[in-house]
Amino acid sequence: MRGKIIKGVGGFYTVLTEDGDCVVSGIKGIFRNQNIVPLVGDDVLLQQENEGSYVIAQILERKNTLLRPAVANITQVVIVAACTRPKPNLMMLDKLIASCEQSDVQIILCFNKTDIATEEEIEQLSEIYAKTPYEVFFVSAEKGQLGKIDEKLQHQTTVLAGPSGAGKSTLLNALNPEFFLRTGELSEKIGRGKHTTRHAELLCLDEKSYIVDTPGFTNVDLTSMDIENADELFAEFVPYLGKCKFASCVHDSEPKCAVKDALQEGKISRSRYENYLAIKEEIDQHSRKNRR
Ligand SMILES: Nc1nc2c(ncn2[C@@H]2O[C@H](COP(=O)(O)OP(=O)(O)OP(=O)(O)O)[C@@H](O)[C@H]2O)c(=O)[nH]1
Ligand SMILES: [Mg+2]
Ligand SMILES: [Zn+2]
């Protein structure tokens, strides 16, 4: 019987079968031996063991795999960050965007909590990210002001990604109040989320639209991703790549650099450029260490 993994906790997987039932199943030992970890979003074949007890016998070929958050077979990622509370960490946001670019999925940016943000906070984010090719939404999940992001989710398998406390689960509850997902206050002391969502879970918006809620995270490790050219992961740089004077230009201190020209002309935002340099440096340092 065919099905889709909608949740995995402690080696047990909840699978939505093609008949519309949910069954909890283990996996065949062979996967463990091969170090294959089933992911939320995986299409699988189930084998019945005893009455009402199933195991995952086969994981069908994945269309794609996202590493952070770890999910399979998605068509797009909506990166959710709060405009404020918690204050967005743009370095971490740009790392997350870069890590998704690595997986070749459609990326949408969603800034939440417009109801408590100042105009200045919204304007600043809007200016920075309007210069990227991504579609950017400003929403208030709490007030149900979703700015038509719901239309973008139709006929897609979307994963929500972003820091704890950004409002991912609140946004899902706004999309469908029947989800009843647990949401959590921010910690008063440090103003961060409290990691309320513990496991990735795939939910059905309608028959053809799926969405995955995921636990928030505080860091993205790009050094484990085997990235060769960090500049290719900054989508608004791409039109300028190959147009610098030096073919090996990494857009740092080289003269006649097309990326830096675009920065001067205001076509690339300074915040994104600086985060690119920092990310590139981090990746370089890591590969130098590995070569030693
Ligand atoms: N003012 C305001 N508060 C919001 C909004 N959206 C979410 N919140 C609040 O922000 C806090 C965190 O929301 P969650 O939905 O739990 O955040 P999350 O991204 O799912 O967090 P994790 O599950 O920890 O990753 C809760 O107290 C929500 O009520 C919003 O649009 N406006
Ligand atoms: Mg959550
Ligand atoms: Zn350059």
Side-chain angles (χ1 to χ4, degrees):
M1 186 169 45
R2 210 184 140 124
K4 199 174 194 54
I5 298 182
I6 60 174
K7 195 168 182 168
V9 181
F12 287 94
Y13 299 87
T14 309
V15 178
L16 176 66
T17 70
E18 52 196 353
D19 304 334
D21 298 325
C22 274
V23 298
V24 176
S25 52
I27 50 168
K28 280 203 156 176
I30 184 163
F31 291 124
R32 281 196 205 97
N33 300 340
Q34 293 172 356
N35 247 341
I36 296 173
V37 181
L39 296 174
V40 167
D42 265 331
D43 295 311
V44 297
L45 295 183
L46 291 176
Q47 207 175 323
Q48 187 154 16
E49 291 226 302
N50 303 308
E51 183 81 25
S53 133
Y54 294 87
V55 285
I56 294 170
Q58 196 183 335
I59 297 172
L60 301 175
E61 198 185 339
R62 291 173 179 157
K63 292 192 193 82
N64 62 20
T65 313
L66 200 64
L67 280 179
R68 202 84 157 102
V71 282
N73 298 324
I74 56 149
T75 55
Q76 63 182 8
V77 51
V78 173
I79 298 182
V80 183
C83 299
T84 184
R85 276 193 259 165
K87 190 173 165 358
N89 174 341
L90 300 190
M91 178 68 202
M92 134 81 179
L93 191 66
D94 289 340
K95 271 191 182 179
L96 181 55
I97 295 171
S99 86
C100 294
E101 280 288 350
Q102 189 60 355
S103 298
D104 201 21
V105 290
Q106 183 75 21
I107 297 168
I108 293 173
L109 305 182
C110 178
F111 292 105
N112 186 27
K113 310 200 188 184
T114 52
D115 57 305
I116 52 167
T118 62
E119 260 176 47
E120 206 184 336
E121 282 167 329
I122 295 173
E123 188 60 29
Q124 204 183 2
L125 290 167
S126 163
E127 257 179 39
I128 295 172
Y129 291 95
K131 291 177 182 169
T132 67
Y134 309 120
E135 210 165 338
V136 186
F137 287 85
F138 283 88
V139 305
S140 167
E142 191 111 314
K143 303 265 181 236
Q145 292 159 356
L146 302 183
K148 295 200 176 169
I149 199 167
D150 47 339
E151 288 175 11
K152 285 278 147 192
L153 307 176
Q154 278 170 15
H155 299 180
Q156 302 280 350
T157 301
T158 305
V159 61
L160 297 187
S164 179
K168 299 177 294 299
S169 304
T170 308
L171 178 64
L172 282 176
N173 286 338
L175 287 163
N176 184 347
E178 285 178 15
F179 286 158
F180 291 116
L181 295 168
R182 215 158 73 79
T183 62
E185 297 289 311
L186 303 192
S187 102
E188 268 176 41
K189 258 200 230 145
I190 50 172
R192 288 219 202 110
K194 286 185 181 164
H195 299 279
T196 308
T197 304
R198 292 288 175 177
H199 305 281
E201 180 172 5
L202 184 138
L203 302 144
C204 295
L205 277 172
D206 59 53
E207 242 174 66
K208 288 188 179 139
S209 318
Y210 299 97
I211 192 154
V212 186
D213 192 15
T214 66
F217 43 84
T218 34
N219 199 21
V220 185
D221 181 16
L222 287 172
T223 57
S224 62
M225 284 192 181
D226 209 14
I227 293 167
E228 269 183 31
N229 301 313
D231 51 5
E232 291 170 3
L233 303 180
F234 281 71
E236 70 273 41
F237 293 12
V238 171
Y240 308 105
L241 302 182
K243 295 189 177 153
C244 305
K245 177 162 192 232
F246 297 103
S248 62
C249 187
V250 293
H251 331 300
D252 189 351
S253 47
E254 300 92 335
K256 301 215 166 134
C257 164
V259 170
K260 277 193 293 175
D261 287 349
L263 172 72
Q264 293 309 335
E265 288 164 23
K267 291 181 180 144
I268 289 174
S269 70
R270 181 152 297 275
S271 158
R272 290 270 293 166
Y273 174 72
E274 282 172 0
N275 288 344
Y276 154 74
L277 286 183
I279 288 171
K280 180 182 74 64
E281 183 55 29
E282 193 179 315
I283 294 169
D284 287 352
Q285 261 187 18
H286 179 79
S287 53
R288 273 197 297 272
K289 225 186 281 165
N290 276 1
R291 256 184 268 128
R292 254 183 239 147

